[in-house]
Amino acid sequence: MTANKKEQFPYEIERLSDEENKEVTRCFNGGVVWKFIRIGPQKYFFPNIYENFAERIYNLELRKDDIFVASFPKCGTTWLQELVWLINNNLDYDRAKTVILNKRFPFLEIEGVVGTINTESNEIIKNKMEGAKKALIPMTFDDILTMPTTSPRFIKTHLPLSLLPPTLLNNNKMVYITREPRDVVVSFYYHTKLMRIMNDEPDFKTFWKFFKNSEVIWAPFFQHVQEAWVQRNHPNLLFLFYEDLLNDLRGNVQRVAEFFGKSLTNEQLDELCEHLTFDNFKKNKAVNLEDMIKTGVFSKDGAFIRQGKSGSWRDHFDPEMTLEADRWISENLQNTDLRFPNMES
């Protein structure tokens, strides 16, 4: 293992006022008893239970060959996880199709963002969480710490780099993926509805306001992306855009393979790209979390793997919202050289 010098968590934690918290949570379903916090100078937004894990995650004892996939939510993370896992596991399609991705590639902070479900007062919520545990194994931070010593250990996170161990890029490889921010908002909205966290009150316009104001978990979006963008030339970080994978899957599969020092034949590239095509990916029960729908954790009205395309934001933003988004994007890209592919109004 890579011995980390244990450090005190370096960021201040601000708790939302009762009034702010009431506004943010008014759209939530019963059984969810979140209170929220903001962390550090970027004011990353989390449920208050994350405070119990912040220092532990910051001081996570890394293994020298740990591999991370990171992103803001709904940027193609699951797609990238499958790609990274297969490249580093000799293209073991049999295992990839039979062992759920969350078991092969666990979610680092999952316990710190879903542990606020009140399972005592609501039997329906309790049953849903039991179903979630089966689909999201390992479910706890300790589960990840005690994963078998077989190497490498694959870890997914939606945390920004500043909340992860500060020595991570010294020894460990990370692939970070991001996406057109307006498409992220749309996808995050449908994901939140799928998870049945929100009641029927909030329409997309309401959710857009929460997102723009950085009142969704893991926000603010641009600061999250910018932290990885400034490290894009680091030899242990590969920075990808979701749109580039859509437009040239083969070329970007090759980039990921080269990043990990792997060589793929033309036939292997063809087979891997075929496995990762949207139609095949959506049908793959090891990645599409079908069991979450069967157990009632997810709504029957949606799907975890939803559309696999870009530009759907145009179907959701009215002219007023489009102008707001243009200003929001322009303000946040000011004084940076970060640009998203195919970014236009």
Side-chain angles (χ1 to χ4, degrees):
M1 290 191 179
T2 302
N4 291 356
K5 179 182 177 182
K6 188 168 183 179
E7 300 184 25
Q8 184 176 359
F9 189 67
Y11 304 113
E12 290 186 4
I13 294 177
E14 168 195 343
R15 289 163 185 81
L16 269 66
S17 68
D18 289 344
E19 185 176 334
E20 285 181 291
N21 212 78
K22 184 177 180 180
E23 171 62 19
V24 173
T25 59
R26 67 181 171 82
C27 300
F28 285 0
N29 276 320
V32 180
V33 288
W34 284 341
K35 291 186 180 295
F36 287 96
I37 58 176
R38 295 186 178 98
I39 300 178
Q42 305 295 358
K43 299 188 179 298
Y44 288 111
F45 195 80
F46 287 96
N48 64 353
I49 193 170
Y50 182 76
E51 190 172 350
N52 299 331
F53 297 90
E55 185 169 330
R56 295 181 70 196
I57 289 174
Y58 191 77
N59 285 290
L60 173 68
E61 188 170 1
L62 299 168
R63 302 175 187 175
K64 59 180 173 49
D65 53 0
D66 284 342
I67 290 173
F68 284 76
V69 159
S71 72
F72 192 87
K74 310 314 295 176
C75 290
T77 325
T78 306
W79 200 22
L80 181 60
Q81 285 176 264
E82 183 80 342
L83 166 57
V84 167
W85 189 90
L86 280 164
I87 281 175
N88 287 283
N89 282 276
N90 300 313
L91 303 179
D92 186 350
Y93 295 107
D94 288 339
R95 190 159 177 241
K97 292 175 181 177
T98 56
V99 180
I100 60 172
L101 183 60
N102 285 304
K103 189 168 185 178
R104 292 181 276 129
F105 216 129
F107 188 179
L108 177 62
E109 66 271 21
I110 184 67
E111 191 178 10
V113 294
V114 303
T116 47
I117 299 294
N118 183 348
T119 59
E120 295 179 358
S121 63
N122 191 318
E123 192 65 27
I124 295 174
I125 296 291
K126 182 177 180 179
N127 291 338
K128 283 173 60 178
M129 287 308 295
E130 287 304 312
K133 287 177 183 178
K134 293 176 184 177
L136 293 173
I137 296 168
M139 188 70 174
T140 71
F141 184 70
D142 285 335
D143 287 338
I144 295 172
L145 293 181
T146 58
M147 285 175 70
T149 55
T150 53
S151 296
R153 179 173 61 172
F154 297 88
I155 299 173
K156 160 195 166 178
T157 184
H158 290 316
L159 296 175
L161 281 172
S162 57
L163 300 186
L164 292 167
T167 61
L168 193 155
L169 291 182
N170 292 352
N171 302 289
N172 300 100
K173 286 190 176 292
M174 170 185 284
V175 187
Y176 185 97
I177 189 166
T178 192
R179 183 182 188 184
E180 215 286 12
R182 290 166 293 195
D183 278 336
V184 175
V185 181
V186 172
S187 187
F188 207 166
Y189 170 71
Y190 283 106
H191 181 72
T192 307
K193 298 291 273 188
L194 175 71
M195 293 179 66
R196 301 164 76 181
I197 290 173
M198 293 192 300
N199 57 39
D200 292 332
E201 177 188 340
D203 56 9
F204 176 70
K205 198 166 190 173
T206 301
F207 186 83
W208 156 242
K209 186 188 85 167
F210 285 134
F211 194 102
K212 181 168 62 74
N213 293 339
S214 299
E215 293 174 333
V216 298
I217 303 175
W218 296 285
F221 170 81
F222 283 102
Q223 286 75 4
H224 193 297
V225 176
Q226 183 68 18
E227 285 195 23
W229 177 250
V230 298
Q231 297 283 359
R232 66 192 181 281
N233 296 319
H234 194 291
N236 283 335
L237 187 138
L238 178 63
F239 191 103
L240 298 175
F241 289 101
Y242 177 78
E243 292 80 7
D244 288 342
L245 266 74
L246 283 178
N247 295 332
D248 181 15
L249 179 59
R250 185 185 180 90
N252 281 278
V253 167
Q254 185 69 54
R255 282 185 68 196
V256 174
E258 290 173 357
F259 177 68
F260 288 106
K262 307 292 183 181
S263 179
L264 301 179
T265 66
N266 285 330
E267 291 76 14
Q268 287 174 323
L269 274 171
D270 289 341
E271 187 177 18
L272 182 50
C273 289
E274 180 65 18
H275 176 81
L276 293 170
T277 60
F278 179 74
D279 286 345
N280 287 333
F281 200 64
K282 190 175 178 67
K283 295 173 188 173
N284 184 348
K285 293 183 179 180
V287 300
N288 65 19
L289 295 183
E290 242 179 54
D291 287 346
M292 299 282 270
I293 295 176
K294 291 177 181 176
T295 57
V297 180
F298 284 176
S299 167
K300 294 179 180 179
D301 297 329
F304 182 66
I305 309 296
R306 201 171 66 88
Q307 286 190 334
K309 66 179 185 180
S310 63
S312 65
W313 67 267
R314 294 180 183 85
D315 301 326
H316 296 78
F317 280 73
D318 63 26
E320 178 188 356
M321 295 164 68
T322 299
L323 286 174
E324 286 180 351
D326 286 344
R327 287 194 296 269
W328 175 65
I329 291 168
S330 178
E331 289 168 3
N332 280 282
L333 292 184
Q334 200 171 28
N335 302 321
T336 82
D337 57 358
L338 171 65
R339 297 295 181 269
F340 294 84
N342 308 321
M343 175 71 80
E344 78 271 351
S345 296

